[in-house]
């Protein structure tokens, strides 16, 4: 693997999932693979799970990991070409990225969308500029439109649950991505990315449900059944992935703050005792009810702990590629 920006960088999802599951059983299996290698983790936005799981994953592979909060620890970066830098930005990515490329062997970056201009966000200008100018493998820690480490973890977690479950092996599990209410406009990254991964994986009967006005970019949803009736989607579901996103059409807006879309035990009765997923952080009793989060169907903390093994599988693939052992 040369980089990890989206599912398109992965040749075999199941093989990568199996590698992540192997690391879960044997965290130190490849403890010298990353000896004398250094990963820089750049954060332009906050993180808890992504930051810590990537640090632990790198450590398990013998790598040194340096975390740098761009803008807070260092200079604020400029990404526009040809700009006159007489405003607040101090340093251009054209200088910063090659410097990072000289300091590190792998560069991992979190850079959220601004949710102001759809074309700008969907051009993935920020992460693409790092790819263009740093000269080393780049790993997305969540970009403007995608969150591939989260999605790999999600597919891994579904695979793990299926291995443990009594579900019929011949029948594809029904996986439902449901929109949930939120008080702030959130990116479409997790929903886009989950949809892209689960449809590429093609081992589930995949449904998306959301209120009118919250369709996702169809580039990511090819192969999904999309309905505006949440009850119709939830019927007989084996996995329910709960996530808010702001409007793609009325870009970055909140159109519906109603609580009727929040999953609760009454709604869950329609499912096949579904496992409930969320990438976290979650706002209790806004996005997801206490009764679900504290109940037996929630697998949100299993999902979050699996972030380590997914990150470790990705980093090990990139290290192996660099060493020519793939
Ligand atoms: N799910 C996720 O990416 O969590 P953090 O924002 O805490 O990294």
């Amino acid at each position: 693997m040369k980089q990890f920006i989206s599912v398109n960088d992965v040749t075999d999802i199941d093989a990568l999932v199996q590698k992540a599951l192997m690391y879960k059983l044997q965290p130190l299996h490849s403890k010298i693979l990353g000896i004398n290698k250094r990963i820089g983790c750049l954060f332009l936005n906050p993180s808890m799970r992504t930051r810590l799981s990537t640090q632990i994953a790198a450590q398990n592979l013998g790598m040194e990991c340096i975390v740098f909060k761009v803008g807070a620890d260092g200079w604020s970066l400029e990404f526009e070409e040809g700009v006159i830098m007489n405003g607040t930005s101090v340093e251009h990515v054209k200088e910063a990225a090659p410097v990072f490329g000289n300091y590190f062997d792998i560069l991992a970056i979190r850079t959220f969308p601004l949710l102001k201009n759809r074309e700008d966000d969907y051009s993935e200008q920020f992460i693409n500029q790092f790819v263009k100018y740093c000269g080393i493998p780049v790993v997305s820690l969540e970009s403007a439109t995608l969150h591939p480490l989260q999605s790999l973890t999600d597919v891994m977690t579904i695979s793990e649950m299926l291995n443990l479950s009594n579900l019929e092996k011949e029948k594809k599990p029904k996986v439902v991505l449901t929109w949930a209410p939120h008080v702030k406009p959130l990116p479409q990254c997790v929903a886009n990315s989950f949809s892209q991964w689960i449809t590429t994986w093609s081992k589930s009967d995949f449904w998306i449900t959301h209120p009118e006005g919250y369709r996702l970019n169809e580039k990511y949803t090819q192969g999904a059944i999309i309905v505006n009736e949440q009850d119709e989607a939830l019927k007989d579901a084996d996995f329910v992935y709960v996530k808010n996103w702001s409007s793609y059409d009325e870009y970055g807006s909140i159109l519906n703050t109603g609580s009727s879309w929040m999953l609760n035990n009454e709604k869950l009765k329609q499912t096949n005792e579904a496992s409930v997923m969320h990438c976290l952080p979650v706002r209790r009793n806004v996005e997801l009810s206490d009764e679900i989060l504290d109940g037996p169907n929630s697998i949100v903390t299993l999902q979050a702990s699996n972030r380590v093994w997914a990150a470790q599988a990705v980093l090990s693939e990139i290290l192996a590629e660099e060493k020519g052992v793939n």
Side-chain angles (χ1 to χ4, degrees):
M1 189 187 293
K2 296 185 189 315
Q3 63 172 18
F4 188 73
I5 305 295
S6 81
V7 74
N8 299 326
D9 296 309
V10 178
T11 47
D12 185 338
I13 293 177
D14 272 326
L16 196 57
V17 164
Q18 288 310 314
K19 194 160 204 183
L21 289 167
M22 182 277 287
Y23 281 129
K24 184 165 185 169
L25 292 175
Q26 301 178 68
L28 300 181
H29 175 276
S30 313
K31 65 183 179 191
I32 59 167
L33 183 65
I35 290 283
N36 298 327
K37 298 285 181 186
R38 192 178 295 128
I39 180 171
C41 291
L42 307 188
F43 286 88
L44 285 81
N45 307 97
S47 169
M48 189 263 262
R49 279 146 289 269
T50 308
R51 172 177 169 162
L52 296 176
S53 60
T54 307
Q55 282 181 283
I56 296 165
Q59 202 168 22
N60 285 346
L61 295 167
M63 295 188 87
E64 183 184 1
C65 178
I66 294 179
V67 174
F68 185 71
K69 289 191 272 177
V70 177
D73 293 339
W75 308 113
S76 53
L77 286 182
E78 179 61 59
F79 292 87
E80 289 295 327
E81 295 275 352
V83 70
I84 298 168
M85 288 176 54
N86 58 0
T88 51
S89 299
V90 178
E91 177 154 33
H92 203 283
V93 68
K94 283 174 140 177
E95 282 74 52
V99 173
F100 291 131
N102 288 333
Y103 291 165
F104 301 116
D105 301 288
I106 299 175
L107 195 60
I109 304 158
R110 166 164 284 199
T111 162
F112 286 169
L114 301 178
L115 292 179
K116 291 191 176 121
N117 181 304
R118 187 171 85 181
E119 282 64 42
D120 284 354
D121 287 343
Y122 275 72
S123 75
E124 290 283 9
Q125 182 194 29
F126 293 175
I127 200 159
N128 284 341
Q129 296 268 65
F130 279 108
V131 171
K132 187 172 175 186
Y133 294 116
C134 76
I136 57 172
V138 170
V139 172
S140 169
L141 300 176
E142 188 169 352
S143 66
T145 63
L146 296 171
H147 196 353
L149 278 176
Q150 180 67 55
S151 310
L152 170 59
T153 309
D154 299 335
V155 175
M156 174 199 170
T157 305
I158 290 171
S159 299
E160 185 182 17
M161 292 297 293
L162 288 173
N163 289 341
L164 296 172
S165 80
N166 298 322
L167 291 175
E168 288 174 52
K169 301 292 179 219
E170 303 77 43
K171 187 174 153 284
K172 285 183 174 182
K174 181 173 180 182
V175 177
V176 178
L177 170 64
T178 179
W179 183 91
H182 204 284
V183 293
K184 287 176 65 180
L186 297 191
Q188 292 109 32
C189 309
V190 171
N192 284 343
S193 195
F194 181 70
S195 181
Q196 189 184 41
W197 276 73
I198 209 88
T199 51
T200 307
W201 188 49
S202 71
K203 291 196 172 170
S204 74
D205 174 20
F206 180 52
W207 293 56
I208 301 173
T209 184
H210 57 75
E212 298 276 355
Y214 281 100
R215 79 173 180 100
L216 295 165
N217 182 326
E218 60 193 21
K219 176 180 167 189
Y220 307 106
T221 60
Q222 300 284 333
I225 300 164
I226 305 170
V227 294
N228 295 133
E229 291 297 328
Q230 192 185 38
D231 288 348
E232 185 187 351
L234 292 178
K235 190 168 178 341
D236 299 329
D238 299 302
F239 294 87
V240 180
Y241 199 120
V242 177
K243 186 71 187 89
N244 170 267
W245 59 89
S246 59
S247 174
Y248 174 73
D249 285 324
E250 291 187 41
Y251 192 64
S253 302
I254 296 179
L255 310 174
N256 178 337
T257 52
S259 59
S260 65
W261 277 74
M262 184 181 73
L263 194 67
N264 55 25
N265 279 349
E266 193 55 36
K267 287 175 190 262
L268 198 66
K269 282 184 191 159
Q270 302 166 90
T271 70
N272 182 25
E273 273 293 322
S275 297
V276 178
M277 305 175 72
H278 189 287
C279 61
L280 303 183
V282 65
R283 289 191 183 234
R284 279 177 174 253
N285 303 313
V286 176
E287 286 178 275
L288 256 177
S289 57
D290 276 343
E291 60 186 15
I292 295 277
L293 284 165
D294 297 332
N297 295 67
S298 171
I299 57 168
V300 300
T301 52
L302 170 72
Q303 230 181 314
S305 28
N306 280 343
R307 293 291 306 273
V308 172
W309 319 117
Q312 196 165 333
V314 166
L315 295 183
S316 75
E317 288 288 309
I318 293 175
L319 287 168
E321 175 91 20
E322 294 288 292
K323 289 191 167 192
V325 293
N326 262 352

